[in-house]
């Protein structure tokens, strides 16, 4: 459909009856003659967001691939995910990814940054402690938005004693990135990693498995978001259980078991909790599954409405994108039923409108 469009329904989160026309990719409340009605009733949600996804390379160490980027972006969009935050990728993302009409909008973080021994060779940009701040600024300026830093890396027993990012280095990198107008996402799976991230005042804590509840008030006060990525841990559970190391199995079981209560407490403390899948596009971690993460958040538990917000309005606001109002970009997902009463509704959008065009 190429002409002007028209839609009406109940807009969330305000829960108010709205009627919009779409002109030049933007929502307007002024009737546009001849507009085709593409949504007539139901619930309207600002375009969904996967706040932690890695399109473009599926296997650890593989280079960024343009065809995969395109395919992965479309998989997200078909599910109503109109905005991605990509906290690290095998290479800096090309400018067309995030701007072409049939791909989601993208907020990226340049290449993953970590100390030697962290994350996967070929994917991460390994830097020494002394180079971290410079590299963080470089990746931020390249992405125009964020950088992504590893505070720790634990996928086996060796990781439990592996390198840790010193607090003063992360604090310095964070200050430097903030000084150029960027934001910092930090990967942390240990109590120590989460603590240095919170104390450095980073903008988002990714995973947060070992996060101490005592730090939640500080996160809320300074605006550090939590992106727990339940989806990837559900997958990783099988890997952890198969480990020969009892120490590692115990560590993961304990950390995983407390993640739900921790997220619940974070929400109650006023921390911004966001939905991120950590998807790579593999059969076990496919793209376009943020609705599953919403269900995990709700099971933490979090109120269903807040869990949806974590994958829509809350995430959009956190990333600086508008909600449903005149003048805003027409990125809208419509549902026949109220998704707050049954989260499975999120898997079946009645319409996906992106950049003012009907995608689905
Ligand atoms: Zn990730």
């Amino acid at each position: 459909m190429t002409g002007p469009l028209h839609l009406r329904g109940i807009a969330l989160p305000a829960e108010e009856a709205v009627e919009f026309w779409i002109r030049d990719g933007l929502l307007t409340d002024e009737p546009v003659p001849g507009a085709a009605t593409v949504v007539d009733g139901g619930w309207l949600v600002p375009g969904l967001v996967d706040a932690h996804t890695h399109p473009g390379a599926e296997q650890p160490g593989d280079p960024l691939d343009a065809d995969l980027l395109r395919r992965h972006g479309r998989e997200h969009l078909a599910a109503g995910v109109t905005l991605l935050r990509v906290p690290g990728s095998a290479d800096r993302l090309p400018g067309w990814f995030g701007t072409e009409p049939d791909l989601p909008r993208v907020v990226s973080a340049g290449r993953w940054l970590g100390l030697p021994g962290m994350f996967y060779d070929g994917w991460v940009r390994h830097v020494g402690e002394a180079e971290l701040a410079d590299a963080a600024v470089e990746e931020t300026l390249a992405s125009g938005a964020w950088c992504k830093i590893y505070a720790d890396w634990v996928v086996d027993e060796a990781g439990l004693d592996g390198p840790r990012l010193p607090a003063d280095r992360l604090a310095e990198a964070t200050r430097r990135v903030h000084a150029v107008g960027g934001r910092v996402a930090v990967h942390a799976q240990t109590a120590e990693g989460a603590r240095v991230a919170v104390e450095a005042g980073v903008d988002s804590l990714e995973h947060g498995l070992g996060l101490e509840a005592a730090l939640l008030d500080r996160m809320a006060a300074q605006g550090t978001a939590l992106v727990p990525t339940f989806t990837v841990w559900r997958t990783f559970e099988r890997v952890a259980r198969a480990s020969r190391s009892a120490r590692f199995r115990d560590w993961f079981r304990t950390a995983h078991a407390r993640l739900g209560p921790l997220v619940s407490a974070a929400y109650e403390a006023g921390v911004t909790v966001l939905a991120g899948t950590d998807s790579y596009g593999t059969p076990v971690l496919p793209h376009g599954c943020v609705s599953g993460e919403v269900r995990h958040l709700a099971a933490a538990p979090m109120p269903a409405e807040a869990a949806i917000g974590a994958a829509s309005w809350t995430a959009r606001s956190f990333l600086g994108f508008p909600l449903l109002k005149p003048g805003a970009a027409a990125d809208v997902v419509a549902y026949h039923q109220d998704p707050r009463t049954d989260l499975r509704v999120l898997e079946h959008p009645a319409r996906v409108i992106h950049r003012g065009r009907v995608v689905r």
Side-chain angles (χ1 to χ4, degrees):
M1 245 167 280
T2 51
L5 305 178
H6 168 239
L7 56 159
R8 61 185 151 217
I10 308 292
L12 297 180
E15 197 176 21
E16 61 189 9
V18 295
E19 182 164 22
F20 291 118
W21 287 260
I22 298 174
R23 193 168 42 199
D24 302 330
L26 302 178
L27 298 173
T28 172
D29 53 6
E30 289 168 23
V32 178
T37 301
V38 290
V39 178
D40 196 1
W43 277 260
L44 306 178
V45 171
L48 300 183
V49 183
D50 190 333
H52 190 134
T53 178
H54 303 288
E58 295 178 348
Q59 298 305 321
D62 278 1
L64 196 67
D65 181 284
D67 291 338
L68 277 183
L69 262 185
R70 216 175 278 281
R71 195 177 87 207
H72 292 163
R74 286 176 184 153
E75 286 167 0
H76 275 298
L77 194 55
V81 179
T82 66
L83 173 61
L84 313 179
R85 187 185 61 145
V86 180
S89 34
D91 209 338
R92 295 167 184 167
L93 297 178
W96 56 261
F97 187 68
T99 52
E100 287 193 356
D102 62 343
L103 292 172
R105 300 175 199 275
V106 176
V107 172
S108 66
R111 295 189 65 188
W112 288 287
L113 292 171
L115 302 181
M118 290 176 174
F119 206 39
Y120 299 111
D121 288 346
W123 269 5
V124 62
R125 175 179 169 192
H126 281 137
V127 292
E129 287 176 18
E131 309 155 86
L132 178 72
D134 283 347
V137 168
E138 270 178 33
E139 296 303 328
T140 301
L141 295 177
S143 73
W146 286 75
C147 68
K148 165 73 175 293
I149 300 173
Y150 280 81
D152 53 31
W153 172 243
V154 189
V155 286
D156 52 24
E157 184 177 359
L160 294 173
D161 306 310
R164 300 284 185 266
L165 193 60
D168 56 341
R169 296 296 188 181
L170 183 56
E172 181 198 358
T174 303
R175 270 195 306 275
R176 295 266 313 277
V177 169
H178 285 170
V180 298
R183 297 168 92 182
V184 181
V186 169
H187 169 114
Q189 296 170 266
T190 64
E192 194 185 344
R195 193 181 322 119
V196 300
V198 175
E199 287 174 356
V202 305
D203 301 277
S204 72
L205 181 62
E206 311 299 313
H207 316 304
L209 280 180
L211 174 65
E212 296 158 36
L215 293 168
L216 294 173
D217 287 341
R218 180 164 176 182
M219 287 177 71
Q222 69 191 21
T224 302
L226 176 63
V227 193
T229 65
F230 284 103
T231 303
V232 75
W233 299 127
R234 179 60 62 88
T235 302
F236 190 72
E237 199 172 13
R238 283 187 285 272
V239 178
R241 223 185 278 137
S243 168
R244 280 188 221 155
S245 161
R247 183 182 167 215
F248 180 69
R249 289 197 305 269
D250 288 348
W251 169 80
F252 182 77
R253 190 170 50 234
T254 305
H256 192 210
R258 66 183 284 282
L259 189 59
L262 179 74
V263 168
S264 205
Y267 172 74
E268 291 298 330
V271 174
T272 297
V273 176
L274 302 179
T277 59
D278 212 359
S279 56
Y280 286 85
T282 55
V284 292
L285 280 172
H287 294 298
C289 293
V290 79
S291 59
E293 183 68 18
V294 170
R295 287 202 304 277
H296 289 311
L297 291 172
M302 254 172 82
E305 178 163 337
I308 299 169
S312 175
W313 51 87
T314 305
R316 293 181 67 88
S317 298
F318 180 75
L319 295 170
F321 287 77
L323 309 186
L324 302 180
K325 61 179 185 190
D331 298 356
V332 189
V333 190
Y335 301 96
H336 290 307
Q337 290 166 265
D338 184 348
R340 298 170 302 178
T341 61
D342 181 356
L343 292 172
R344 286 169 301 183
V345 167
L346 292 173
E347 284 172 22
H348 307 287
R351 279 277 185 230
V352 176
I353 296 169
H354 180 52
R355 302 178 198 270
R357 303 183 344 165
V358 172
V359 171
R360 166 174 172 174

